[in-house]
Coordinates of all heavy atoms in Angstrom, one line a residue:
V20 N 31.0 14.3 -12.0 CA 30.9 13.1 -11.1 C 30.5 13.6 -9.7 O 29.8 12.8 -9.0 CB 32.2 12.3 -11.0 CG1 33.3 13.2 -10.4 CG2 32.0 11.0 -10.3
N21 N 30.8 14.8 -9.3 CA 30.4 15.3 -8.0 C 28.9 15.4 -7.9 O 28.4 15.5 -6.7 CB 31.0 16.7 -7.8 CG 32.5 16.6 -7.6 OD1 33.1 15.6 -7.2 ND2 33.2 17.7 -8.0
R22 N 28.1 15.4 -9.0 CA 26.7 15.5 -8.9 C 26.1 14.3 -8.2 O 25.0 14.4 -7.7 CB 26.1 15.7 -10.3 CG 26.5 16.9 -11.0 CD 26.0 18.2 -10.3 NE 24.6 18.3 -10.3 CZ 23.9 19.2 -9.7 NH1 24.5 20.0 -8.9 NH2 22.6 19.2 -9.7
V23 N 26.8 13.2 -8.2 CA 26.3 12.0 -7.5 C 26.0 12.3 -6.1 O 25.0 11.8 -5.5 CB 27.4 10.9 -7.6 CG1 27.0 9.7 -6.8 CG2 27.5 10.4 -9.1
F24 N 26.9 13.0 -5.4 CA 26.7 13.3 -4.0 C 25.5 14.3 -3.8 O 24.8 14.2 -2.8 CB 28.0 13.9 -3.4 CG 29.1 13.0 -3.5 CD1 30.1 13.1 -4.6 CD2 29.3 11.9 -2.7 CE1 31.2 12.3 -4.7 CE2 30.4 11.0 -2.8 CZ 31.3 11.2 -3.9
D25 N 25.2 15.1 -4.8 CA 24.1 16.0 -4.7 C 22.8 15.1 -4.9 O 21.8 15.4 -4.2 CB 24.1 17.0 -5.8 CG 25.3 18.0 -5.7 OD1 25.6 18.3 -4.5 OD2 25.8 18.5 -6.7
W26 N 22.8 14.1 -5.7 CA 21.7 13.2 -5.9 C 21.4 12.5 -4.6 O 20.2 12.5 -4.1 CB 21.9 12.2 -7.0 CG 22.2 12.7 -8.3 CD1 22.0 14.0 -8.8 CD2 22.8 12.0 -9.4 NE1 22.4 14.1 -10.1 CE2 23.0 13.0 -10.5 CE3 23.3 10.7 -9.6 CZ2 23.5 12.6 -11.7 CZ3 23.9 10.4 -10.8 CH2 24.0 11.3 -11.8
L27 N 22.4 12.0 -4.0 CA 22.2 11.2 -2.7 C 21.8 12.2 -1.6 O 20.9 11.8 -0.8 CB 23.5 10.5 -2.3 CG 23.9 9.4 -3.3 CD1 25.3 8.9 -2.9 CD2 22.9 8.3 -3.3
Q28 N 22.3 13.3 -1.6 CA 21.9 14.3 -0.5 C 20.4 14.7 -0.7 O 19.7 14.8 0.3 CB 22.8 15.6 -0.6 CG 22.4 16.6 0.4 CD 23.2 17.9 0.3 OE1 23.3 18.4 -0.9 NE2 23.6 18.5 1.3
R29 N 20.0 14.8 -2.0 CA 18.6 15.2 -2.3 C 17.7 14.0 -1.8 O 16.6 14.2 -1.3 CB 18.4 15.5 -3.7 CG 17.1 16.1 -4.0 CD 16.9 17.4 -3.3 NE 15.6 18.0 -3.4 CZ 15.1 18.9 -2.6 NH1 15.9 19.4 -1.6 NH2 13.9 19.3 -2.7
G30 N 18.2 12.8 -2.1 CA 17.4 11.6 -1.7 C 17.2 11.6 -0.2 O 16.1 11.3 0.3
W31 N 18.3 11.9 0.6 CA 18.2 11.9 2.0 C 17.3 13.0 2.5 O 16.5 12.8 3.4 CB 19.6 12.1 2.6 CG 19.7 12.3 4.1 CD1 19.9 13.5 4.7 CD2 19.4 11.4 5.1 NE1 19.8 13.4 6.0 CE2 19.5 12.1 6.3 CE3 19.1 10.0 5.1 CZ2 19.3 11.4 7.6 CZ3 18.9 9.4 6.3 CH2 19.0 10.1 7.5
L32 N 17.4 14.2 1.9 CA 16.5 15.3 2.3 C 15.0 15.0 2.1 O 14.2 15.3 2.9 CB 16.9 16.6 1.6 CG 18.3 17.1 2.0 CD1 18.7 18.3 1.2 CD2 18.3 17.5 3.5
L33 N 14.8 14.3 0.9 CA 13.4 14.0 0.6 C 12.9 13.0 1.6 O 11.7 13.0 2.0 CB 13.3 13.5 -0.8 CG 13.5 14.5 -1.9 CD1 13.4 13.8 -3.3 CD2 12.5 15.6 -1.9
F34 N 13.7 12.0 2.0 CA 13.3 11.1 3.0 C 13.0 11.7 4.3 O 12.0 11.5 5.0 CB 14.4 10.0 3.2 CG 14.2 9.1 4.4 CD1 13.2 8.1 4.3 CD2 14.9 9.2 5.5 CE1 12.9 7.3 5.4 CE2 14.7 8.4 6.6 CZ 13.7 7.4 6.6
W170 N 17.3 2.4 -15.9 CA 17.4 3.4 -14.8 C 16.4 4.6 -14.9 O 15.7 4.9 -14.0 CB 18.8 3.9 -14.7 CG 19.1 4.8 -13.6 CD1 19.2 6.2 -13.6 CD2 19.1 4.5 -12.2 NE1 19.4 6.7 -12.4 CE2 19.3 5.7 -11.4 CE3 19.0 3.3 -11.5 CZ2 19.4 5.7 -10.1 CZ3 19.1 3.3 -10.1 CH2 19.3 4.5 -9.4
P200 N 30.0 9.0 -13.4 CA 29.1 9.2 -12.3 C 28.3 8.0 -11.9 O 28.1 7.8 -10.7 CB 28.2 10.4 -12.7 CG 29.0 11.1 -13.8 CD 29.8 10.0 -14.5
V203 N 30.4 5.5 -10.0 CA 30.6 5.9 -8.6 C 29.3 5.7 -7.8 O 29.3 5.2 -6.7 CB 31.0 7.4 -8.5 CG1 31.0 8.0 -7.1 CG2 32.4 7.6 -9.2
Y204 N 28.2 6.1 -8.4 CA 26.9 5.9 -7.7 C 26.7 4.4 -7.4 O 26.2 4.0 -6.3 CB 25.8 6.4 -8.6 CG 24.4 6.3 -8.1 CD1 23.8 7.3 -7.3 CD2 23.6 5.1 -8.2 CE1 22.6 7.2 -6.8 CE2 22.3 5.0 -7.7 CZ 21.8 6.0 -7.0 OH 20.6 5.9 -6.4
G205 N 27.0 3.5 -8.4 CA 26.8 2.1 -8.2 C 27.6 1.5 -7.1 O 27.2 0.7 -6.3
L206 N 28.9 2.0 -7.0 CA 29.8 1.5 -6.0 C 29.3 2.0 -4.6 O 29.3 1.2 -3.6 CB 31.2 2.0 -6.2 CG 31.9 1.4 -7.4 CD1 33.3 2.1 -7.6 CD2 32.2 -0.1 -7.2
L207 N 28.8 3.2 -4.5 CA 28.3 3.7 -3.3 C 27.0 3.0 -2.8 O 26.8 2.6 -1.7 CB 28.0 5.2 -3.4 CG 29.2 6.2 -3.5 CD1 28.7 7.6 -3.8 CD2 30.1 6.1 -2.3
M208 N 26.2 2.6 -3.8 CA 25.0 1.9 -3.5 C 25.3 0.5 -3.1 O 24.6 -0.1 -2.2 CB 24.0 1.9 -4.7 CG 23.3 3.2 -4.9 SD 22.3 3.8 -3.5 CE 23.5 4.9 -2.7
A211 N 26.4 0.8 0.5 CA 25.2 1.1 1.3 C 24.3 -0.1 1.4 O 23.7 -0.3 2.5 CB 24.4 2.3 0.7
V225 N 15.1 2.5 4.9 CA 15.7 3.9 4.7 C 16.4 4.0 3.4 O 16.3 5.0 2.7 CB 16.6 4.2 5.8 CG1 17.3 5.6 5.6 CG2 15.9 4.2 7.2
L226 N 17.2 3.0 3.0 CA 18.0 3.1 1.8 C 17.1 3.2 0.5 O 17.4 4.0 -0.4 CB 18.9 1.8 1.6 CG 19.8 1.8 0.4 CD1 20.7 3.0 0.3 CD2 20.6 0.5 0.4
P228 N 14.0 4.5 0.0 CA 13.5 5.9 -0.3 C 14.6 6.8 -0.7 O 14.4 7.7 -1.6 CB 13.0 6.3 1.1 CG 12.6 5.1 1.8 CD 13.6 4.0 1.3
I229 N 15.9 6.6 -0.2 CA 17.0 7.5 -0.6 C 17.3 7.2 -2.1 O 17.6 8.1 -2.9 CB 18.2 7.2 0.3 CG1 17.9 7.7 1.7 CG2 19.4 7.9 -0.3 CD1 19.0 7.4 2.7
I230 N 17.2 5.9 -2.5 CA 17.5 5.6 -3.9 C 16.4 6.2 -4.8 O 16.8 6.8 -5.8 CB 17.5 4.0 -4.0 CG1 18.8 3.4 -3.4 CG2 17.5 3.6 -5.5 CD1 18.8 1.9 -3.4
F231 N 15.2 6.1 -4.4 CA 14.1 6.7 -5.2 C 14.3 8.2 -5.3 O 14.1 8.8 -6.4 CB 12.7 6.3 -4.7 CG 12.3 4.9 -4.8 CD1 11.9 4.1 -3.7 CD2 12.4 4.3 -6.1 CE1 11.6 2.8 -3.9 CE2 12.1 2.9 -6.2 CZ 11.7 2.2 -5.1
G232 N 14.6 8.8 -4.2 CA 14.8 10.3 -4.2 C 16.0 10.7 -5.1 O 16.0 11.6 -5.9
S233 N 17.1 9.9 -5.0 CA 18.3 10.2 -5.8 C 18.0 9.9 -7.3 O 18.6 10.5 -8.2 CB 19.5 9.4 -5.3 OG 19.3 8.0 -5.4
M234 N 17.2 8.9 -7.5 CA 16.8 8.6 -8.9 C 16.1 9.7 -9.5 O 16.3 10.1 -10.7 CB 16.0 7.3 -8.9 CG 15.6 6.8 -10.3 SD 14.5 5.3 -10.3 CE 15.7 4.1 -9.6
L235 N 15.1 10.3 -8.8 CA 14.4 11.5 -9.3 C 15.4 12.6 -9.5 O 15.3 13.4 -10.5 CB 13.3 11.9 -8.3 CG 12.5 13.1 -8.7 CD1 11.6 12.8 -9.8 CD2 11.7 13.7 -7.5
A236 N 16.3 12.8 -8.5 CA 17.3 13.9 -8.7 C 18.2 13.8 -9.9 O 18.4 14.7 -10.6 CB 18.1 14.0 -7.4
S237 N 18.6 12.5 -10.1 CA 19.5 12.3 -11.3 C 18.7 12.5 -12.6 O 19.2 13.0 -13.6 CB 20.1 10.9 -11.2 OG 19.0 9.9 -11.4

Side-chain angles (χ1 to χ4, degrees):
V20 67
N21 292 331
R22 298 296 294 171
V23 170
F24 301 99
D25 295 329
W26 303 342
L27 294 174
Q28 180 186 43
R29 193 61 190 162
W31 170 255
L32 292 175
L33 292 178
F34 170 73
W170 181 256
V203 173
Y204 182 91
L206 291 174
L207 292 174
M208 288 300 97
V225 174
L226 180 59
I229 294 175
I230 290 176
F231 290 126
S233 65
M234 185 182 292
L235 179 71
S237 66

